[in-house]
Amino acid sequence: MSLLRLCSFPKCLAGRLVAERNVRHLLNVEHCLLCLRNRSHYERGIRDNPWTSQRRRYSAIPKKDDGNKRMWEQSHLLDVLEARIQQLQSDVLFDVKHSKVEFLKMPQRDKGPSPSKSQKTRPGEKTELSKAGPSNKKGATTDNPSTKTHTSRWFEKLNREKWNRTSKQSSLQQNVPDKLAKSSKGKSNKKQQTMKSSKGSMMLPGSSMKSISAVKRSKPVTKQEHAKPAASPASHSMPKASESPVSEAIPVPAELSRDAELAEVEELEQMIKQWSSTGTEKVIEVKEVNRDADTQLNVCCHLEVCVFMGDLERAQRYLLFHHQNLFKRKTLTVNSYNIMMRMWAKKGSLHHIRQLFFLVEEAGLKPNVASYCAALECMGRNPESSSRVISRCLQQMEEDGLSVDDVFRQCVFRQDERDMVLKAVRTVRPDYEPSVTTENTLCSLPLVKDYYTQRKDVRYPKLDFSLADLQDRFKRQLALEQANTITIDSVETMKPVKENTIRMRKLLAEQRAHWQKNLLRALRDSKLILGKSKLRNWKTDIYPFLCILRDEDYVNIMLQGLAKLPPSGDSLLNMAKELGTAVHNIFCIQQKSHSQVVEKLACIYNSYTELLAKDTKSSSVLPREQWNRLEAERSAGPSLLSDDMSWKHVLIIQLGSFLVDLLVHELKIQNNILNPAQDKKLIPALYHMYTFRSNRQIGFIKPHPILTQIQLEAMETKLTFDSYVMPMLCPPVPWTSPKSGAYLLTPTKLMRTVEGAIQHQHLLEKCRNEDLHAVLDSLNQLSSCAWKINKPLLDIIISIFNDKGSEKLDVPPPVSEAPEIPRFNPHDPSYTPQEKAHMKREVLKAKKKFGEMHSLRMDALYKLSIANHVRDEVFWFPHNMDFRGRTYPCPPYFNHLGSDVTRAILLFAEGKPLGPKGLDWLKIHLVNLTGLKKRSSLAGRLEYANSIIEDILDSADHPLTGRKWWMDADEPWQTLACCMEIANASRSPDHTKFISHFPVHQDGSCNGLQHYAALGRDVIGATSVNLMPCELPQDVYSAVAQQVEEFRVRDAAKGLKIAQVLEGFISRKVVKQTVMTVVYGVTRYGGRLQIEKRLKEIDDFPKEHIWDASHYLVHQVFSSLKEMFTGTREIQDWLTESARLIAKSGSTVEWVTPLGLPIVQPYHRARSHVLKSNIQFLSLQINYDIHERPDTVKQKNAFPPNFIHSLDSTHMMLTALYCYSAGITFVSVHDCFWTHALTVDTMNKVCREQFVALHSQPILQDLSKFMLQKYCSGPVGERQNKKFLEYWKMMQLLAKVPQTGDFDLHRVKESTYFFS
């Protein structure tokens, strides 16, 4: 480009802008004034000085003093840019001729060097250019004429880069072999003729011309040889053209030259295409979430709370601030505008609705069904709305592809919104009735298809409660959740009260009253300042969130957080998260009350109880189906499903940190409150300090020792909890979707995940409803089990708890029993450096022990106090699941997944007679709890129980004063509870009619290895884990210990010292934990730590050899497992390597369980997010961000255990469903199944049948098919050699399912000890 052209450029630019401005006047009619004003200023500036918009790319006319220099630089820059443009236009373009390889001639300057630093023409080189580039034919014109300019290293670099890229593309193309060349030479010649006549028939996808750059060859190309294009990235199918012309010139990788493997890859690609077209495999595609999604959600939450608190001016100002700023406008979504439309619709302001529609259009967004819903609601409320306006709105909806039915089907209504929309529609369509859609589609998954279709004669079990009783329980639970918190008596109130305790309680109550006043004043002052502030920062952004509750509610939340603070303190992050979450939960409950959902919920629930009550007729309808039907019948009024925005984790932390800051600054205490002799002075009750955790410095909130002492000595009689911590007093709401179920009002996630992770919820919402039916119904079955408290046993535990506890019985002692923390002056010169170091270690050790004892004590206090509070109640545990499908009760402290203590005090609320075999099952269960006779048959265990019947009865009658036989059991409290049940049944007139509430357990025999053995059809492995019928149970842990002992004897004979030291110390207990967890991905490092811990528990083992011994043993354990479970190791290796290659390709590992549950591993590379707060800047480590690359190590290590966990949860869910249809009570603790003694045999039958049904499915084949379709059916991207080979390697690996053995899976049905 010459200087003359450069100078004429501004004139052209100005003329073009004038023309565009005239046209734009017609298009800017509905744009906001601010946008038009900005554009006018911009155009005026261009008109006045056309260079202003180009200053970043061009400089102005140079001054005369250095004009020559700047002119040269300008000209040189334009040459470089021009060269780059030419490169981009003609890069990587191919042309093919039948006997010649053409190359793209590089654009040459008159004096510039060639890419190879030589001007000589290569053999076979032609001087003509491809069609799309400059032609040297007669009459051809060139779009980019070259000009004589100074050459430089910049231009050489561009040429060299272009040459290298075309050479790489050519090399990749030439490396693809063709399997048809040898078998069909005639066809090859025919193709040569075709290509000769049609020069442009074979094109690289994405290019508009064909040419191959010249490549150095070791020998001339013959006429029979011809080139072929690379495979299309879109289809991934290997090309079927003839042999490459340079196959002998460039060495081809060995793996690419194998025709058999190539044919295999082609076959795989055809299969993937077929799966994609037929849809046999359901691959749930979740579009990449917008990188601004978090900010967009925060904006919506801000607008929502402003509307909730009635601050319309703030909401409008906040929306316009983001809309008028072009950079911030991208943080707005159509939902942001809809929130404001909804607000103005309540006021009937059609003018504001119309303005918002203009803003939506100006933002480049499209109104959705919620937008039109707000408009129709506004018209329904406004008596002045004409039918013409409503008709025009409905017509516009139809033009946008929406219907009125979509409004009633998809929108979530609050208060009377639905009635207003219906009123507006009926203004122009008087006979319109919303279509009521009831979900009739049944789950069609192979495992449960019969369960849903063949239930004509099935009658599901009822609860042992009347209709009136259940409805009364609903009212009590509703009142509990509306109150948000509950205060209960502590079990420590049963201890005798001393005078000092009374004094401390009074002192603490006075301080709290004083703190409450101070916090209330400080909160109101802070809100007043923030409300008047005109600045925009994080504090003003959270101001609306400080106004959605009463001021007293915030103060109560802060004081409740203070009461939970342990003496050793807690991290600022944890404390902020707890306080922020408490505010969010209360806000969600208040929103539901504000939306008038409670009245409708009560109406539906009262009708729902007719399905559950014992005094109503039986039915074959599932709870989920009944709830959906009732909700559809009562569609009028507000929607039960809430559309509340979930607050982002960062927002919750910021809000919580603001409250923590108030606590730290406002809570003061007198320093002489315990010692009046000291001078009176106010000191902070809480301290903000810094400490190190895992080499990271974190903020820490610690109470003053004076406050800690007062709290410990007061031993308060009351404990305050959030309502969701307590068990439910009525049956939970059945799960009907990923957003609806469990508690009445408290928000609950179907899938519990890391705070802030959203990919799991996206996957669930993308699922078809019917695909989740089995998962939801199994959760509903687990939640429907009613419980009650074993009161005699609870009283015994509380008495021991209040009497200094017992570490042997797993009842934590009080912190008063903790070792005293040593006190010493580190500056005392009498101490040597070694003594100071030793004393510091002792202090840290004592403080750690104190903290652990306090944590355990408080955990036990919470559990026992909750149990004591509901001792006369019947209650339920709502369930949800983790991302692998494993189910958990929602109440965090007290549930049946807890310790031996909590399991022991839980009984089924419904009792059933023992029947003829029930007492025998109780006795067998008792022996199982003791940990004895693990390798004995069931008959042997029963015989042992009968032989110790006197000890059993003595334990039941005199648990604390008798022989105390039960105390030596593995699970002492459950053993004692079982002794009491056996004693009561034995002493009844007819034990077969004795009503038992006691749960009997059936535990899987190393369940993870059972699933691996079934997957691999491994006969030896199946026998080791009791899949094969045997007279005696096979104990895999003992077998591994025996194998390891054989290895030790062999090594000891060879003189290995550590093997000699270990003589007599290798036992089942030493290796059990490692064997159990190796199937779940434990590494050698983790296994060594487990064995080291077991060895330390052996008093006689020499401590100096622990490290060497644990290192030796973990190696032997892994070796023995590899020999015993060959199929397991192959499957585990296949899963691990598959995950590694998937993660390396940039994707997270996903799969779908046989019950249709989508699973994704949320392991990404961690990034830091700095969060501003008053008290300190918080650095959040975020490892779930889907925009970050996957963490390859975590992805590959976690895939095998997570996959097996998803299978054991699937087996449990299947067992739960079929036990429910069989009418028996069923509860699980992962791979431990519970039921009444009467129905153990039935549950065992169902358990085995469903295990066989599960593993009769082609699980690994389906997994392979899913992963091939998910990860190998998209475009490869830039087809560089390395990346393509990795893709090809991954495709081969995913398709290569490990071979299986010949174990007959149906033998599991005959195995007595599969679950026992």
Side-chain angles (χ1 to χ4, degrees), residues 35 59 119 128 164 208 215 345 465 622 715 773 790 842 895 940 993 1031 1057 1095 1148 1150 1201:
C35 295
S59 59
Q119 295 295 333
E128 65 182 25
N164 290 339
S208 58
V215 182
F465 302 97
L622 290 165
M715 290 187 296
H773 283 175
N790 187 340
E842 291 299 316
N895 57 64
K993 297 179 181 178
E1031 294 183 2
K1057 182 180 179 180
L1095 291 176
T1148 52
E1150 297 181 27

Side-chain angles (χ1 to χ4, degrees), residues 439-456:
E439 193 175 303
N440 297 321
T441 308
L442 297 177
C443 183
S444 60
L445 296 171
L447 281 172
V448 290
K449 185 177 181 180
D450 293 343
Y451 178 82
Y452 288 104
T453 56
Q454 301 177 8
R455 47 175 169 161
K456 183 178 181 181

Side-chain angles (χ1 to χ4, degrees), residues 215-274:
V215 182
K216 291 183 180 181
R217 295 185 292 272
S218 58
K219 73 175 190 176
V221 181
T222 61
K223 289 186 178 182
Q224 282 78 17
E225 296 169 335
H226 65 279
K228 64 171 184 171
S232 167
S235 65
H236 293 298
S237 58
M238 303 301 290
K240 297 183 180 180
S242 53
E243 191 174 353
S244 172
V246 288
S247 58
E248 297 181 12
I250 297 179
V252 180
E255 55 268 38
L256 284 177
S257 64
R258 292 195 290 268
D259 291 342
E261 293 184 1
L262 178 60
E264 179 185 353
V265 173
E266 289 181 345
E267 184 180 355
L268 285 174
E269 288 176 336
Q270 294 299 324
M271 290 170 60
I272 295 171
K273 290 180 184 178
Q274 184 179 0

Side-chain angles (χ1 to χ4, degrees), residues 819-890:
E820 185 178 355
I821 298 177
R823 298 180 181 275
F824 80 105
N825 184 7
H827 303 291
D828 189 346
S830 62
Y831 290 106
T832 64
Q834 293 78 11
E835 289 175 336
K836 288 181 181 180
H838 174 73
M839 290 299 293
K840 286 182 179 179
R841 286 194 297 268
E842 291 299 316
V843 169
L844 291 176
K845 184 178 178 181
K847 286 183 177 180
K848 181 181 179 183
K849 181 67 175 177
F850 180 88
E852 290 174 350
M853 289 182 64
H854 180 269
S855 178
L856 292 172
R857 180 74 175 182
M858 295 305 295
D859 180 67
L861 175 65
Y862 292 165
K863 291 176 179 176
L864 294 176
S865 298
I866 293 173
N868 190 58
H869 180 74
V870 296
R871 63 183 298 138
D872 298 318
E873 299 282 358
V874 174
F875 49 88
W876 287 260
F877 295 126
H879 280 63
N880 61 0
M881 58 186 172
D882 65 10
F883 75 92
R884 303 163 300 183
R886 281 199 149 191
T887 59
Y888 298 86
C890 295

Side-chain angles (χ1 to χ4, degrees), residues 93-95 97 102 104 128-137 140-141 143 197-201 208-211:
L93 304 175
F94 293 86
D95 201 347
K97 283 193 175 183
E102 294 187 3
L104 179 64
E128 65 182 25
L129 297 177
S130 57
K131 293 179 181 179
S135 174
N136 61 357
K137 291 185 179 181
T141 61
D143 295 333
S197 60
S198 179
K199 195 174 185 180
S201 61
S208 58
M209 55 179 292
K210 304 163 290 295
S211 173

Side-chain angles (χ1 to χ4, degrees), residues 223 382 503 617 655 1298:
K223 289 186 178 182
N382 193 338
R503 174 173 166 266
K617 64 179 182 180
L655 177 59

Side-chain angles (χ1 to χ4, degrees), residues 30 108 255 482 488 546 703 824 870 874 910 934 938 963 1032 1046 1069 1106 1111 1127 1153 1233 1290 1292 1304:
E30 295 177 352
Q108 299 290 330
E255 55 268 38
Q482 285 178 320
I488 65 175
L546 296 171
F824 80 105
V870 296
V874 174
E910 181 185 6
K934 288 184 178 291
L938 294 182
R963 302 175 210 171
L1032 295 175
E1046 293 177 3
K1069 185 177 181 180
I1106 284 181
H1111 187 271
T1153 70
F1233 298 167
M1290 180 172 68
Q1292 280 195 315
D1304 182 6

